[in-house]
Amino acid sequence: MKKQKTTIHEIAKALNTTASTVSRALNNNPRISEETRKKVFDMAEKLGYEPNTMAASLRRGHSKIIGIVVPYADRIFFSSVIRGIEEEVKKSGYNVIICQSYEKIENEIDDVNALMSAQVAGIMISISKETTRYDHLKKVMNKNKPLILFDRTTEAVNTSSVAIDDYQGAYTAVTHLIENGYKKIAFLSGNKKVSVFRERFRGYSAALNDQNFPLIEEYIIEAPSEVEHGKLIIEQLMKLPNPPDALFSSSDFSALGVIKWLTQNNYKVPEDVGVVGFGNDPFTQYLDPTMTSVDQKSKEMGKTVAQVFLEQIEGRTSIHRKVLLSPQLMVRESSFKLSVKKMVS
Amino acid sequence: MKKQKTTIHEIAKALNTTASTVSRALNNNPRISEETRKKVFDMAEKLGYEPNTMAASLRRGHSKIIGIVVPYADRIFFSSVIRGIEEEVKKSGYNVIICQSYEKIENEIDDVNALMSAQVAGIMISISKETTRYDHLKKVMNKNKPLILFDRTTEAVNTSSVAIDDYQGAYTAVTHLIENGYKKIAFLSGNKKVSVFRERFRGYSAALNDQNFPLIEEYIIEAPSEVEHGKLIIEQLMKLPNPPDALFSSSDFSALGVIKWLTQNNYKVPEDVGVVGFGNDPFTQYLDPTMTSVDQKSKEMGKTVAQVFLEQIEGRTSIHRKVLLSPQLMVRESSFKLSVKKMVS
DNA sequence: GAATAATGCGCAATCGTTTACATATTTTAA
DNA sequence: TTAAAATATGTAAACGATTGCGCATTATTC
């Protein structure tokens, strides 16, 4: 069992030719005869040759590795996007390297720098909540590497992006509530510094407006996307002199808190209060009542991000694309005021 | 705005010295004077120098990138382990590249090869269900790269591994059911070709045995870890002349199916049938009743995998470690026969 | 004050590929 | 038949860092 790693030079020597020929043969360069190509492949096989992609990348100036930066890799939405990306780019021989910003801009900057140092072919990023400076992203573009923003995008840097139409998602959700007979719809928003939450708020407002419903100040609350906060908020809302009869949350987790609090306090969901979440986290379909939620098309988003990247890198085009995916309202039990009581799931 | 990328040579030229000095200064080599070091750093900063880690890696023979192979990156358990790994190795300047096998051995082999070609510093893998040949893994070891198996391990390749004590997890779960007064405990197993499921079965058997409970053949069923299969299985079990009064599932998803079917068919959980799952998926705590489940310590596992790797790579030791983490039974409502009815979550 | 050690830095080879350019051979065209 | 074109391969210089070795210069020791 040899420890000696075999390079194209060994192959060349064994075949009494040169490294350049071997390299060309291996890369299916048309200027190599079918005969030598075969010989090279056979010998490579025989010697257990394994290419050193780093050497190749160094020479070429770019690797076949893509950098992905997300706030947290274990959040189902992000891990699902990552899966989508990996699945798609793998077909073209790319690998993905994952970095987590933990919602901190310093980490994000470090990550981007590390990725650039690693000579990645491009970077796909969902920016942190803290990100308000963009030099690190602009630097990527200045080096002519594809930079693709997804989900958490920004107008501050002029590049390709893929996101769902958060506005439309919210609009549809709220309209759905109205169509189901709810009249007083509260809105639980995430941090409005983040683009997606701003958009969801716009959608909420527009839907109410289009149906001639008033926008009630007290019904609009901003809070972290967590179960506990959902509970606190709904408690607060139900104490109002004129409490809402439905709530649209821009997060599944706070919506879950809302439902929990309501059922624990003898309100019926969806009869007394209708609830719609956002994210379509898997748990929504396991609840009782099952929760209506806006699906974010995470895997499709990953796939699209990958495609935009490939288009850019292979077509060597520098036109930027702004893709907006259509979210899908997953209607379940929590929003059926007029419900034909619980169909079997 | 220069397009020209700056290398250590430019820095050297600007400082009227050589690349070797710059390199050493940048790497904090002790044989460089404090004075030059400072000058180099300043100039590097001024010229906007960014190291090319690939060139360094090529020269050194290994990169600061770690390869991770998992069946699916968007399964909460795996994404959580990945997060743990990334979080830990980042401190030592490593990055992680993620590959998915989709439970196919061909993909796994391709992934491992790609990672080796990319000159990763080591590989961490949770093998696919199909994996019964191990040449690709042995090759990694033959090249003296750290190979660490996690969760889905195998005895067939002699290397470090990190897993939870599935045996103990199951043992604890079943004992817990017995202590809570359940007498007839069924077991829903995942694919027994996979090591973790075999271990969980061993734990189940041992617990019964130690409490002098008989092992009833009909109570032991193997099925895919999916909600639907849980439903099918429990239906089948409850039709038995002597149906079980509790079920321990080696998967949260099938356990969920079990609970769903039971409540839909007017059985009470936990009064009529107690249920314990495995995995402690986040959804378990959102259910009604909340589900008792064995926590797999995913993030801790990631952290440990990372530590074993670092120890191996930095200590340059080749002694292998087999770490078994202790799982933790998360006791919730679904297993309290004698339940002090539903405490507030 | 001579011998030895420590310090600071330069030279040049090297990691394993790719690729512009040159060369040799064969094919095609006129 | 011969110049031009096409094909197949070789030569050697990159890519951007690291590092063993060697040579000054300065510091230490006795």
Side-chain angles (χ1 to χ4, degrees), chain B residues 7-8 20 23 49 59:
Chain B
T7 72
I8 52 172
S20 23
S23 170
Y49 170 72
R59 176 58 224 255

Side-chain angles (χ1 to χ4, degrees), chain B residues 198-230:
Chain B
R198 280 199 305 272
E199 286 300 294
R200 291 174 200 175
F201 175 61
R202 281 212 312 122
Y204 164 79
S205 308
L208 289 187
N209 199 56
D210 288 358
Q211 306 278 342
N212 294 313
F213 276 60
L215 205 69
I216 300 174
E217 205 58 60
E218 308 164 305
Y219 284 180
I220 301 164
I221 304 193
E222 181 170 332
S225 307
E226 291 161 19
V227 180
E228 286 313 311
H229 284 90

Side-chain angles (χ1 to χ4, degrees), chain A residues 5 8-9 20 23 27 49 52 55 59:
Chain A
K5 50 181 73 176
I8 52 173
H9 290 97
S20 29
S23 171
N27 290 301
Y49 170 72
N52 182 325
R59 175 59 224 252

